[in-house]
Amino acid sequence: MKQSLYPMLLAALLIAACSPTTEAPPAKAQSVADTGGSARGDFGPPQGEPVHAVLTSPPQVPPATGRSAPAKVIVELEVRELELEISEGVRYTFWTFGGTVPGSFIRVRQGDTVEFHLKNHPDSKMPHNIDLHGVTGPGGGAASSFTAPGHESQFTFKALNHGLFVYHCATAPVGMHIANGMYGLILVEPPEGLPKVDHEYYVMQGDFYTVGKYREKGLQAFDMQKAIDENPTYVLFNGSEGALINDKALRANTGETVRLFVGNGGPNLVSSFHVIGEIFDKVWYEGGTHYQENVQTTLIPSGGAMMAEFHVEVPGSYVLVDHSIFRAFNKGALAILKVDGPENKTIYSGKEVDSVYLGDKAASLTPVSTAREAAISGTLTLEQQIAAGKAHFTGTCSVCHQDSGLGIPGVFPPLAKSDFLAKDPEAAIKYVLNGLTGKITVNGKEYDSVMPPMSQLNNDEIANILTYVFNSWGNQLGQVSTEQVAKVRGETPRAEGAAH
Amino acid sequence: MKGSAGRHGKWLAATLFVALMSMPAVAADYVDVPAGAFQSVLPTADTPLDVSVAALAMRSEPVTNAEFLAFISAHPEWRRDQVPRLFAESRYLEHWPTANSIDAGQARQPVVKVSWFAAQAFCESEQARLPTWHEWEYVAAADATRRDARADPAWRNRILGWYERTSGGDLAQIGGDANAYGVRDLHGLVWEWVDDFNALFISADNRNQGDPDLLKFCGAGALSMQDRDNYAVLMRIAMLSSLKGADVTGNLGFRCVRPATEKSQ
């Protein structure tokens, strides 16, 4: 159906472009291209017997509705306040829709009439309600569902827009109710349903704020100030660090297609959702009607969702992360999709070579170790020093002074046949250790630039570098010993970390 | 403890019932609270900021199951098997073993699962009434030494600590530490009915373009709050505003107030 739209749209555009005198109906073309939104989402009164919605706990997703006509769907969702594990050995009092974080997954079809029952368990301390982003009407159901502990509220709405929608508690203080885990997803299927896939999974990100530090053991209290500062202690998929790892990992086999329904409850952070080692074949960004193809990372706003499909070819563990990556490795935003099946070396070889790589230093660092051994045994020669010094000079000093020692005229002074250097060769030790800033004149040219201190180099290295400089490019300024460098270093105090 | 109380509940309750009946009515302990002005976290249309509270005497502790049992014995129309549903929903006093008995362990627990109507009737029976929200808030602003400790994070954290404990087990007994007025258990034990639990919030709503559902929506409730740090109190207001007069919950009790005695006026 979707594909047939394009020729029609194209035709409309051609008419508009080629025959300006023809009455082109751009408005009509537009209405063909879009879904018509809520104005075209009412398929009439519900038909047949009322249906009880199948609700699932994450990461499971209810089966497709399989309906071709609007139905009356009864949803019964219970609010529970529960103390659960947020991380190993760390407990937190969650407020939940259906006993889990995120709450139960709800699946209906566009045009369905949903009779919603919100039950607040008698043991609850707080009143709660629900705002479903899939509801058309003030408050999204919040006012109609405000429910005291031990009570039940009922309201009814018609699902006019299809898409993947967040629901959440909207009782004051809203941020705290959401931060305690009160959110979930409701899928309103398009009339034709979704294409068949091998696996559907339900993942939802949320940020959590505890008084104790990350992974501090025991029962942790909610920290309002951290929440206001938007500085979460945990960023999690499905409400716990262990929710989707090890034996609870999502599973698929090679050759299968996986569909993820991913929401972001917030309350604060926007997710940069990414699966390490996979590329989303399709992303229905923002949970809407259209998809983007071949996506690496997709944004999921707080209070938003997205749907993604991808085909898995290579077995192994794929890591779901919020690619705001410190959240993944330091706040818990990690989940695993484990793919089983035979290796496919033509697509991904696995590791073929494991060898040492030293870049452009690979060959040149040999003289350094030779010089070090010689120094230890007391047989260090001028030639060995020069050779080792050259290796260090390359890649450290040569960036500015150039391999030729000529520097860059007017910017970086030359070392080759430098009268400045020749005037007081020993002062060079000081320049290397402490840097040199300000106006100097070298070979009749004025330079006014900054050489940073290079005190991160050890005494051996500086001695060798300077010995190399003093004996290259026509310079004949002698030799510098480790002891000389040590003496100058000892005389000049400098700030820690002054290197570079 | 609970199990054994349940097994022997009948005779224990009967014993307790007889004991209560044979005792002279124990005068509940009311403590004087002097008049004063303070800033309510929830200003109303009439009193935008400063709220004056007249001198009053407040029950030093919430009403207990034992006290409420004595009340229904004298006023059987408030027994759970006799009260009209209009005044108390079906779960009214359902935690009692029978309509006119309690387990021994319940005697000094605050009575919960009582409707606003029943609470009001109880207070009338001892020549008292339910406190208004502002009266309750005024007295509950105190900690052990100060009459208004609300600026102290420790005061707030103590309240939040209770919110964060899931309920479902046995309620604690009354008799927590007294605050600066000598009133106990305002925080950390149960929610408490106030006389104007519904009316107060409607006037607050009117101030904001007349949206009657202000507290029930995203963040809107926070707009009428003077101090965002007082969200702990806001949560109590949200709780009260979710109720109707016949409702009961497992964490909702009450206490009464009377006009102040002469010495405090």
Side-chain angles (χ1 to χ4, degrees):
Chain A
M1 181 181 173
K2 184 176 287 297
Q3 279 170 344
S4 70
L5 297 177
Y6 292 116
M8 291 176 74
L9 182 61
L10 191 61
L13 287 171
L14 285 172
I15 290 164
C18 302
S19 348
T21 51
T22 312
E23 267 191 44
K28 194 181 169 193
Q30 213 164 15
S31 72
V32 170
D34 67 32
T35 62
S38 56
R40 296 202 9 209
D42 190 344
F43 307 147
Q47 297 172 28
E49 286 298 303
V51 179
H52 283 266
V54 176
L55 304 187
T56 56
S57 297
Q60 303 307 321
V61 175
T65 63
R67 289 192 293 272
S68 55
K72 180 173 182 177
V73 181
I74 296 165
V75 175
E76 300 190 56
L77 193 56
E78 184 190 43
V79 174
R80 299 293 309 263
E81 297 171 359
L82 299 169
E83 192 189 304
L84 301 169
E85 194 162 72
I86 190 168
S87 181
E88 200 182 332
V90 188
R91 316 277 302 169
Y92 187 76
T93 299
F94 292 92
W95 299 344
T96 73
F97 286 110
T100 56
V101 177
S104 307
F105 196 104
I106 305 165
R107 187 168 193 159
V108 299
R109 180 180 175 271
Q110 187 182 17
D112 280 349
T113 296
V114 181
E115 182 183 298
F116 206 100
H117 297 254
L118 188 72
K119 301 171 178 186
N120 192 357
H121 194 276
D123 284 346
S124 293
K125 276 187 174 155
M126 299 294 164
H128 299 286
N129 62 5
I130 192 166
D131 168 357
L132 298 119
H133 291 180
V135 167
T136 303
S144 317
S145 61
F146 194 43
T147 310
H151 286 80
E152 175 181 339
S153 296
Q154 179 187 326
F155 66 101
T156 301
F157 68 95
K158 189 167 275 192
L160 296 178
N161 297 78
H162 64 76
L164 184 61
F165 299 99
V166 167
Y167 66 76
H168 63 90
C169 183
T171 301
V174 183
M176 182 177 179
H177 282 255
I178 293 175
N180 282 346
M182 298 200 77
Y183 44 76
L185 291 179
I186 175 169
L187 172 66
V188 181
E189 293 177 350
E192 69 276 16
L194 297 176
K196 196 164 167 31
V197 291
D198 298 294
H199 299 278
E200 291 185 326
Y201 290 118
Y202 170 25
V203 178
M204 202 152 175
Q205 181 171 325
D207 26 301
F208 295 87
Y209 304 82
T210 62
V211 171
K213 290 194 194 80
Y214 176 63
R215 289 186 174 172
E216 192 170 313
K217 303 287 185 231
L219 178 61
Q220 290 297 327
F222 169 71
D223 189 321
M224 187 63 147
Q225 194 54 51
K226 280 184 187 168
I228 291 168
D229 295 343
E230 305 191 16
N231 176 28
T233 323
Y234 294 87
V235 180
L236 301 172
F237 295 124
N238 290 6
S240 161
E241 269 210 284
L244 295 169
I245 59 167
N246 299 330
D247 55 335
K248 293 184 199 152
L250 308 176
R251 304 298 288 244
N253 296 309
T254 53
E256 291 183 328
T257 301
V258 177
R259 176 180 292 141
L260 296 180
F261 297 100
V262 188
N264 184 6
N268 288 320
L269 300 187
V270 169
S271 175
S272 300
F273 189 77
H274 176 81
V275 178
I276 298 174
E278 258 301 336
I279 296 149
F280 301 125
D281 296 333
K282 294 177 182 171
V283 172
W284 283 260
Y285 45 94
E286 296 158 8
T289 306
H290 302 290
Y291 59 78
Q292 170 68 290
E293 293 186 82
N294 306 315
V295 174
Q296 55 190 314
T297 302
T298 188
L299 274 179
I300 312 176
S302 174
M306 72 91 189
M307 198 167 83
E309 282 177 18
F310 52 94
H311 186 258
V312 287
E313 284 85 6
V314 178
S317 288
Y318 295 83
V319 187
L320 286 60
V321 296
D322 179 340
H323 215 293
S324 294
I325 208 71
F326 274 100
R327 298 176 191 168
F329 297 106
N330 301 76
K331 296 187 173 184
L334 280 175
I336 302 286
L337 168 68
K338 192 164 184 329
V339 176
D340 293 315
E343 293 285 351
N344 190 341
K345 300 276 189 190
T346 62
I347 293 174
Y348 184 73
S349 70
K351 183 165 273 185
E352 293 178 312
V353 174
D354 184 349
S355 64
V356 175
Y357 173 69
L358 294 168
D360 59 0
K361 289 186 174 178
S364 63
L365 282 181
T366 319
V368 173
S369 45
T370 309
R372 188 179 303 122
E373 281 158 27
I376 289 164
S377 60
T379 61
L380 183 66
T381 66
L382 178 65
E383 287 67 34
Q384 285 170 333
Q385 264 201 291
I386 291 170
K390 185 180 181 185
H392 287 302
F393 186 88
T394 306
T396 303
C397 318
S398 67
V399 175
C400 298
H401 294 292
Q402 305 297 301
D403 285 330
S404 61
L406 294 174
I408 295 174
V411 184
F412 303 119
L415 301 174
K417 297 188 181 135
S418 162
D419 59 352
F420 182 81
L421 208 53
K423 202 165 53 195
D424 183 4
E426 234 190 299
I429 301 172
K430 208 165 60 192
Y431 304 149
V432 173
L433 277 170
N434 302 331
L436 185 61
T437 302
K439 273 188 191 148
I440 56 169
T441 306
V442 184
N443 297 347
K445 261 206 163 80
E446 197 167 88
Y447 292 85
D448 187 5
S449 54
V450 176
M451 171 169 162
M454 293 291 165
S455 53
Q456 81 277 14
L457 297 167
N458 67 30
N459 296 343
D460 278 341
E461 289 164 345
I462 292 175
N464 293 345
I465 288 168
L466 288 176
T467 301
Y468 166 70
V469 170
F470 288 0
N471 293 279
S472 301
W473 319 300
N475 292 343
Q476 289 189 324
L477 301 172
Q479 202 170 353
V480 177
S481 71
T482 303
E483 291 71 29
Q484 278 175 287
V485 180
K487 184 163 174 283
V488 176
R489 194 192 288 271
E491 286 165 355
T492 47
R494 68 187 64 79
E496 276 302 311
H500 305 293
Chain B
M1 166 82 190
K2 196 183 182 191
S4 83
R7 270 198 303 282
H8 306 295
K10 252 195 179 125
W11 69 264
L12 271 173
T15 313
L16 194 62
F17 178 77
V18 172
L20 281 167
M21 286 297 88
S22 56
M23 275 191 305
V26 179
D29 192 12
Y30 279 74
V31 298
D32 284 329
V33 174
F38 80 117
Q39 296 206 332
S40 171
V41 298
L42 193 73
T44 67
D46 305 330
T47 57
L49 264 178
D50 290 308
V51 175
S52 296
V53 173
L56 54 90
M58 182 179 265
R59 253 181 176 265
S60 62
E61 287 164 345
V63 175
T64 63
N65 282 310
E67 287 169 329
F68 205 80
L69 177 64
F71 163 71
I72 64 145
S73 303
H75 303 272
E77 69 272 23
W78 288 102
R79 285 163 55 118
R80 72 181 185 202
D81 54 358
Q82 292 180 31
V83 70
R85 280 290 157 264
L86 199 60
F87 294 142
E89 59 149 297
S90 59
R91 291 177 308 127
Y92 172 67
L93 297 177
E94 69 168 1
H95 57 306
W96 288 9
T98 71
N100 65 343
S101 68
I102 58 174
D103 287 337
Q106 293 177 319
R108 276 183 60 79
Q109 286 173 356
V111 65
V112 291
K113 298 189 181 178
V114 283
S115 67
W116 177 84
F117 295 106
Q120 204 187 32
F122 177 98
C123 290
E124 275 172 24
S125 76
E126 52 182 43
Q127 292 76 53
R129 58 177 173 82
L130 288 170
T132 66
W133 165 257
H134 282 143
E135 286 168 344
W136 192 94
E137 186 189 9
Y138 174 68
V139 181
D143 69 0
T145 56
R146 294 164 292 186
R147 288 183 174 175
D148 191 346
R150 293 175 299 172
D152 185 349
W155 177 88
R156 184 175 72 231
N157 289 341
R158 197 167 152 240
I159 298 173
L160 295 175
W162 178 64
Y163 293 175
E164 278 152 8
R165 285 194 298 277
T166 53
S167 57
D170 266 346
L171 276 175
Q173 298 199 339
I174 60 162
D177 295 335
N179 74 7
Y181 299 104
V183 179
R184 301 169 194 277
D185 303 318
L186 284 160
H187 298 292
L189 187 54
V190 285
W191 305 114
E192 293 182 21
W193 282 112
V194 294
D195 184 57
D196 52 351
F197 73 98
N198 53 5
L200 178 68
F201 315 117
I202 289 163
S203 58
D205 291 346
N206 287 343
R207 199 175 54 97
N208 284 279
Q209 286 81 50
D211 184 344
D213 297 315
L214 196 64
L215 273 165
K216 301 169 186 174
F217 278 103
C218 284
L223 294 176
S224 63
M225 295 287 290
Q226 290 303 312
D227 179 358
R228 72 170 185 205
D229 282 345
N230 271 321
Y231 70 100
V233 178
L234 173 64
M235 291 167 77
R236 179 175 285 268
I237 295 169
M239 171 62 204
L240 290 170
S241 69
S242 74
L243 300 166
K244 291 188 283 295
D247 286 352
V248 309
T249 93
N251 288 294
L252 176 64
F254 70 102
R255 74 179 72 216
C256 315
V257 293
R258 280 176 184 159
T261 55
E262 268 177 33
K263 72 176 160 68
S264 67
Q265 283 185 341

